[in-house]
Amino acid sequence: MPNIIGKRKLFLSLSGALIVLSLIFLGAFGLKSGIDFSSGSLLTVAFDSAPELSDLRSELSDLGYGTAIIQETGSEDFIIRLPSITDAQKNTLEDGLETAFGALTERSFESVDPIIASQTSRIALIAVGLASVGILLYLTYAFRRMPKPLHYGTGAVVAVLHDVVAVLGIYAVLAAAFGWEINLVFIIGILAVIGYSVNNTVVVFDRIRENALRGVAPTFEGVVNRSVAETLIRSINTSLTTIIVVLALMLFVGATIQNLAVVMLIGIIVGTYDSVFVAPAILVIWDNFDKKRIGAKS
C-alpha cells in the first residue's frame, strides 16, 4: 500500500507552490472582465470572404470603433467587442462592414448596460461565497457522527479554495496570452469546479468514515492513508473519463463554451489532486495538532 499520507509535507509543499504561483500570475496579468461584468456589446459575425484581421481592425476604426476588440474563433467567425451600442448602431456598423468586405452573417449580438453588469458581478461573488459556506455547513452536518466533524467541512472548503485560486491563476496566464475574458460562462465553470472538487473530496472522506468506524488501522493517520489508497484508482479513472468529455467539448463545440471547457479542464486536474493529496492530509495534520495540544495541557 502506498504511503501517501506519510508524504503529506511534499504534496502540501507542491500545493503551496501552486497557490503562490497562481497569486503571482493573478497580480501580474490580472483578469479582464467581459461585457457580463463591465458592460458593452458583443457582436459575432461571419463573412462570406473572411478579411484579414488588420483590415477588419482598420475598417472598424474608420467606422468610429477604434477601441473595438476583435477575436477570431478559428471557424471564420469574428467576435467583436464594442462599447454599448443600440440595434440601430449595430445595423449601421454591419452595413459599413458589408460595404468594405462583402456579405456577412450575424451569428449573435448581446449588449449589457453598466447597471446590469454591476449587479451581475455582485451576484456572482455572492454565489461563490454562499457555495463555500453551504459546503462547510453541509459536510460538518453530514459527518456529525464522527469525532471533530468541523475538520471535514473545513478540509473540503480549503480544497475548494485551493482549486479556485489555482484555476484563476492558470487562467490569468492563458487570458493574457490569448486575450480571453471572464464572463458568466466562466463563473458557471468555477461553480462546476467547486461541485466536482467537493464530490471527489466527499468520496475520500466517506471512505475514511467507513474505515474509522471499522477500525482498520490503529491510528487515524493509518485509517486516512488506507482510505486514500483504496479510492485512488477510482478518483483517477473518474477524472480521466470526465477530462475526455471536456476535451471533446473544447475540440468540437468551439469558442462559445471555450471559457467553460478550459476552466473545467484545469479544475478537474487540480481538484482530483487536492481531493487525494491535500484534503485528507489536512485532516491528519489537524488531528495531530489537537492531540499535541491536549497532551501539552495534561
Side-chain angles (χ1 to χ4, degrees):
M1 181 184 303
N3 185 15
I4 296 171
I5 296 301
K7 298 181 176 63
R8 57 184 177 274
K9 290 183 179 177
L10 170 64
F11 296 125
L12 290 174
S13 297
L14 291 174
S15 284
L18 176 61
I19 294 302
V20 170
L21 280 175
S22 297
L23 293 174
I24 291 173
F25 291 152
L26 278 171
F29 301 115
L31 292 171
K32 187 183 297 180
S33 299
I35 64 169
D36 294 328
F37 303 114
S38 60
S39 76
S41 296
L42 204 63
L43 175 65
T44 303
V45 294
F47 294 91
D48 287 354
S49 178
E52 293 294 328
L53 190 61
S54 57
D55 294 337
L56 179 57
R57 185 174 287 112
S58 176
E59 183 62 25
L60 284 168
S61 181
D62 292 342
L63 292 170
Y65 298 101
T67 59
I69 298 172
I70 309 168
Q71 179 185 353
E72 286 186 271
T73 66
S75 57
E76 299 184 351
D77 290 1
F78 291 87
I79 300 174
I80 304 171
R81 180 177 173 179
L82 305 154
S84 292
I85 60 175
T86 63
D87 285 343
Q89 290 172 316
K90 180 204 64 175
N91 293 334
T92 301
L93 172 61
E94 290 180 349
D95 290 342
L97 293 176
E98 281 191 324
T99 301
F101 304 115
L104 64 81
T105 302
E106 178 187 319
R107 300 292 193 196
S108 66
F109 175 70
E110 54 184 313
S111 190
V112 179
D113 68 44
I115 295 177
I116 298 297
S118 175
Q119 291 178 343
T120 303
S121 301
R122 183 171 55 84
I123 292 171
L125 289 174
I126 291 173
V128 175
L130 287 178
S132 299
V133 173
I135 291 166
L136 175 63
L137 296 176
Y138 171 73
L139 288 185
T140 301
Y141 176 78
F143 288 86
R144 64 190 181 281
R145 292 188 175 84
M146 295 294 292
K148 306 165 186 173
L150 182 62
H151 289 196
Y152 293 86
T154 306
V157 170
V158 170
V160 164
L161 295 176
H162 171 275
D163 294 342
V164 171
V165 173
V167 168
L168 291 177
I170 297 172
Y171 190 87
V173 178
L174 296 173
F178 301 109
W180 294 349
E181 299 175 338
I182 58 172
N183 52 22
L184 280 180
V185 174
F186 177 88
I187 298 300
I188 292 171
I190 290 291
L191 293 174
V193 167
I194 290 174
Y196 191 88
S197 174
V198 171
N199 181 59
N200 262 356
T201 304
V202 166
V203 169
V204 179
F205 283 2
D206 205 41
R207 183 60 61 89
I208 293 172
R209 174 169 54 185
E210 291 176 8
N211 286 339
L213 295 175
R214 290 167 50 204
V216 297
T219 64
F220 183 65
E221 180 174 336
V223 170
V224 173
N225 188 67
R226 176 164 175 167
S227 304
V228 170
E230 288 176 351
T231 54
L232 180 62
I233 299 302
R234 178 265 177 203
S235 297
I236 292 174
N237 287 341
T238 302
S239 298
L240 285 176
T241 54
T242 312
I243 286 173
I244 291 172
V245 174
V246 174
L247 285 175
L249 290 174
M250 288 180 65
L251 294 174
F252 300 113
V253 176
T256 52
I257 61 164
Q258 183 183 60
N259 287 5
L260 176 66
V262 170
V263 167
M264 287 196 65
L265 183 62
I266 301 169
I268 290 168
I269 295 172
V270 178
T272 302
Y273 174 82
D274 68 38
S275 67
V276 174
F277 301 110
V278 177
I282 291 172
L283 296 182
V284 173
I285 291 171
W286 201 345
D287 186 70
N288 289 342
F289 175 78
D290 284 348
K291 288 175 180 174
K292 288 181 180 177
R293 182 169 52 84
I294 294 171
K297 288 182 178 178
S298 60

